[in-house]
Amino acid sequence: MSSPAHNDPSRWAHLPDMLRVHGFAALQPGPRLMVLGGVHGNETCGSLAIERVVAQFDAGELALLRGQLTLVPVANPLARRQLTREGERNLNRNFRPSAKGQAPADYEARITDLLCPLLDRHEVLLDLHSFQSAGEAFAMIGPRDNTGTLEPFARAAEEGLLALHLRTPRVVEGWLDIYAAGLAQRARAGIAVEEDAIDFGRGTNEYMRTRGGYGVTLECGQHDDPTAPEVAYQAILAALRLLQMLPPVAGETPPAHPQLLRLASVTDRLHADDQFVRDWATFDAVARGEPIGQRADGRVVQAPDDGYIVFPNDEALPGTEWFYFARESERRLA
């Protein structure tokens, strides 16, 4: 697939090292929603959608009924200029402010130090992304309500309702649980794991939950999918309508319940010669025992159960996530 115009490097080549933040506040109190685009530099659909929404507010085509809306079209200018996932590291990992009195360790830490105070002033986050493999748009949510130590949470119903109203055919849960399980799996395999490695799995939504809010990641489709910007745009409007920050659409049908999948395992690429047996797309169904890939030493990697491939990455570096495996969940969003 050829790259569309929004992924033309010349469009973003002169982006300065600063965050452009757009804020709108209604005179009536209400929810405080923040929308992020471009957390990963090669994911441009959210940026285009946010710019479209900002233009409509500026033209008077949209107006807030209540609450506050903050939009950041490009959260990582360095990565965007390069049209790469990362600048110096993944902005959507270890997302927390620098320790008091400590200088930020890298470019992304400087960005995080700016974004965290913004998130602190909001209660709802919509983070717009896209993905490398082929596949349909889907939403990602956090844990069920719990008082555990990994990710305590008390707003799962509100988060699920937001995901439901984004109207994707699928919603995925279980990210941080499986990230933690993946670290334990590496440790058992004798791969060195730093003591605080779990923090590297915490991104924008995980941070928002620690602040008493909730958030949904919307994966709008494959990076170069020409429909992804429209998916992102409609999601922003859907979130605003759900929160009663924009008027409802007359005659709009209630959202259908999506298929809910729970991440069950992650498989790392161990060697550069590890190869998939075919080109997988996110949400390709697999049967228990079906070959998924082959290791460099000839061993076959098989599906552990009936389920679905998620985020297959044939460009994964050795020692990083090669693909995730998900099963259907019995949970309902709302």
Side-chain angles (χ1 to χ4, degrees):
M1 181 183 296
S2 59
S3 294
H6 60 268
N7 283 345
D8 180 354
S10 64
R11 179 187 177 99
W12 312 102
H14 304 293
L15 200 68
D17 279 323
M18 66 178 187
L19 289 183
R20 183 157 55 96
V21 180
H22 302 270
F24 302 91
L27 300 186
Q28 296 299 320
R32 301 179 307 279
L33 169 66
M34 186 163 174
V35 183
L36 290 176
V39 166
H40 295 134
N42 60 340
E43 301 174 13
T44 59
C45 57
S47 303
L48 294 182
I50 288 172
E51 290 175 353
R52 182 177 171 186
V53 169
V54 169
Q56 288 187 293
F57 274 107
D58 288 345
E61 297 169 12
L62 295 174
L64 287 186
L65 298 177
R66 64 177 193 148
Q68 299 176 31
L69 171 65
T70 300
L71 304 112
V72 180
V74 180
N76 192 329
L78 173 59
R80 175 55 54 80
R81 285 199 304 273
Q82 301 172 167
L83 277 180
T84 55
R85 180 175 173 82
E86 306 174 6
E88 294 180 0
R89 67 165 173 85
N90 192 335
L91 178 61
N92 208 28
R93 302 289 187 271
N94 197 21
F95 192 94
R96 58 180 176 176
S98 303
K100 188 174 181 179
Q102 178 180 340
D106 48 41
Y107 184 91
E108 277 73 12
R110 292 194 290 274
I111 293 293
T112 304
D113 285 349
L114 294 173
L115 287 177
C116 284
L118 280 175
L119 284 165
D120 291 348
R121 299 201 296 268
H122 295 76
E123 59 179 319
V124 189
L125 172 64
L126 176 60
D127 194 358
L128 300 167
H129 288 256
S130 57
F131 48 91
Q132 186 266 337
S133 64
E136 291 183 293
F138 66 98
M140 292 190 73
I141 57 174
R144 305 172 192 195
D145 288 348
N146 72 95
T147 56
T149 58
L150 182 63
E151 193 177 15
F153 194 40
R155 304 187 73 172
E158 293 165 279
E159 192 170 279
L161 192 62
L162 175 56
L164 177 67
H165 280 261
L166 298 183
R167 296 176 183 263
T168 59
R170 294 180 184 87
V171 174
V172 176
E173 64 176 347
W175 158 253
L176 199 58
D177 287 343
I178 292 307
Y179 189 86
L183 293 176
Q185 178 177 279
R186 290 174 190 172
R188 289 193 299 271
I191 300 172
V193 175
E194 295 183 12
E195 185 175 344
D196 61 351
I198 186 60
D199 289 323
F200 194 68
R202 302 182 192 273
T204 57
N205 286 330
E206 287 75 24
Y207 179 80
M208 195 64 175
R209 294 180 194 115
T210 69
R211 312 310 293 170
Y214 62 94
V216 172
T217 292
L218 178 64
E219 298 282 353
C220 300
Q222 200 273 341
H223 297 325
D224 291 337
D225 186 338
T227 68
E230 179 69 18
V231 171
Y233 169 74
Q234 293 297 338
I236 299 172
L237 298 186
L240 289 167
R241 292 184 187 118
L242 172 66
L243 298 170
Q244 299 178 356
M245 299 169 74
L246 286 182
V249 175
E252 186 175 48
T253 59
H257 277 274
Q259 181 185 37
L260 182 60
L261 301 180
R262 183 170 186 83
L263 296 176
S265 64
V266 58
T267 298
D268 289 342
R269 195 175 197 176
L270 303 179
H271 191 280
D273 291 333
D274 291 351
Q275 300 293 328
F276 289 124
V277 298
R278 68 175 179 87
D279 290 334
W280 294 102
T282 290
F283 301 126
D284 275 346
V286 291
R288 181 182 180 89
E290 181 176 345
I292 294 174
Q294 185 171 13
R295 297 292 189 188
D297 61 7
R299 287 178 296 145
V300 175
V301 179
Q302 298 176 322
D305 204 345
D306 295 346
Y308 301 86
I309 300 292
V310 181
F311 290 147
N313 185 2
D314 58 7
E315 298 178 0
L317 298 174
T320 64
E321 299 97 330
W322 196 18
F323 66 90
Y324 289 83
F325 174 78
R327 297 186 181 94
E328 289 202 47
S329 173
E330 296 179 357
R331 173 187 178 187
R332 284 179 68 86
L333 292 178

